[in-house]
Structures are given as structure tokens and as C-alpha cells.
Amino acid sequence: LRQLLLQGLQSGVFQEKGHKKALMEDGFLQGVAREVGTLGTSGKSAALTLYAVMDGHAGISCSNFVVLNLERNILDSLRDQRKRDANAEQILKSSLLAGFKVTEHSFHQYANKLEGGAGRTWATSGSTCCAACLAGPDEEGRLRLLVANVGDSRAVLGKKDGFAVRLSVDHRPDNAGER
């Protein structure tokens, strides 16, 4: 599984700028595999690949910031989480959550340091993000797929039979659970 992640996965990306937009505001991470040491109690060397789509709003600043920082923040958190006595799923979930939180916090810190027009541009931009993380092997020798999202970007898994399975839930202000 580790070798599959490190050498065998291929992906593609297509972007199209809306006709009313001056710039492409979206971004993506296209699954670069990384060695991550062991996951949980498996004792086997594992790998992780992260795919993500960012839907920028009111400018490109936020989505670019997420592209440049999210993967590193998740990997940094993963290094910290591996020190815990937890299984692979708990470690991966905690790392994804922490990576998203650190990225958001860092964006706000950076935007607050800017002055003038740049500060206003950064302060008004935003982005949704939907990420899929493939990692393994875990304690049972399996490949894990974890999905995380912020905003109304969603992940859907297409099945051979033509049906689709929703893997994420949109975050919306009108959702009582989001308040």
C-alpha cells in the first residue's frame, strides 16, 4: 500500500474561470505522496497523499494561502500526533483537523499584519476547501481514506454501478449544528 501511494496513483485537474471573474480564484493540491513514518501501532512505514480543492471567494489570496500551507500544516500535526498512543484513524483525524485550524489561524494572523489595500484584499477574501487524504498501511494493513471540508465544497465517491455516495456534509450558516 505504501508503494501504491508513493508511486502508483495518478490524478488530473481541470479549472475553468467563470465568465464574470477577472481571475481564477480557486486552487488545488494534486496528491503528492509523502513518507510519514508509522501510523498507530502498525510498526510499518506508511505514506500519505493529500488531494484538495479550494473554492476561492472575493479574491485569490485565501485559496492561494491554503494551497501553500495546508499540506505542510497537516504533516506537521501528523508528526506531533504520532507521539500519542492512538490508532491510525484517530491520528489522521486529529492531524487533518489541526492542519485546517492552523491554516485558518495563520491566514488571519498574516492578513491582520497587512496594511492598506493589501490588508483589505486579504481580509475580504475567503475559501472553501474539500480535502481527501489517503494514508496507509494502518494497523490492519489497510489503506485509509479520510475526507475533510470547510464550507460548501463537498466530496462524492462515484461507484462502479453508477451511484454516488456523499462523503462530506456542507458547512452552511443556516445549519443549526454550525452555530
Side-chain angles (χ1 to χ4, degrees), residues 16-125:
E16 186 172 322
K17 179 180 72 64
H19 66 280
K20 293 182 181 180
K21 303 266 184 176
L23 296 170
M24 170 57 76
E25 297 177 342
D26 304 338
F28 60 88
L29 292 171
Q30 196 173 351
V32 177
R34 309 280 187 212
E35 296 257 8
V36 294
T38 60
L39 291 175
T41 58
S42 74
K44 297 178 184 174
S45 183
L48 176 142
T49 303
L50 183 69
Y51 299 88
V53 175
M54 294 68 166
D55 180 11
H57 298 265
I60 194 168
S61 305
C62 186
S63 60
N64 275 352
F65 189 90
V66 175
V67 166
L68 294 171
N69 293 280
L70 180 62
E71 183 180 41
R72 178 179 39 83
N73 291 335
I74 290 170
L75 291 171
D76 288 348
S77 177
L78 183 61
R79 277 188 281 281
D80 294 339
Q81 293 292 326
R82 284 197 344 253
K83 298 172 189 170
R84 293 179 40 214
D85 183 25
N87 66 34
E89 184 175 359
Q90 292 168 328
I91 290 170
L92 289 167
K93 282 182 178 181
S94 295
S95 298
L96 282 171
L97 181 60
F100 271 80
K101 285 182 176 182
V102 167
T103 303
E104 180 183 27
H105 178 76
S106 298
F107 174 79
H108 289 297
Q109 279 189 319
Y110 186 79
N112 288 334
K113 289 180 183 177
L114 297 174
E115 296 178 6
R120 282 189 297 280
T121 299
W122 277 68
T124 59
S125 74

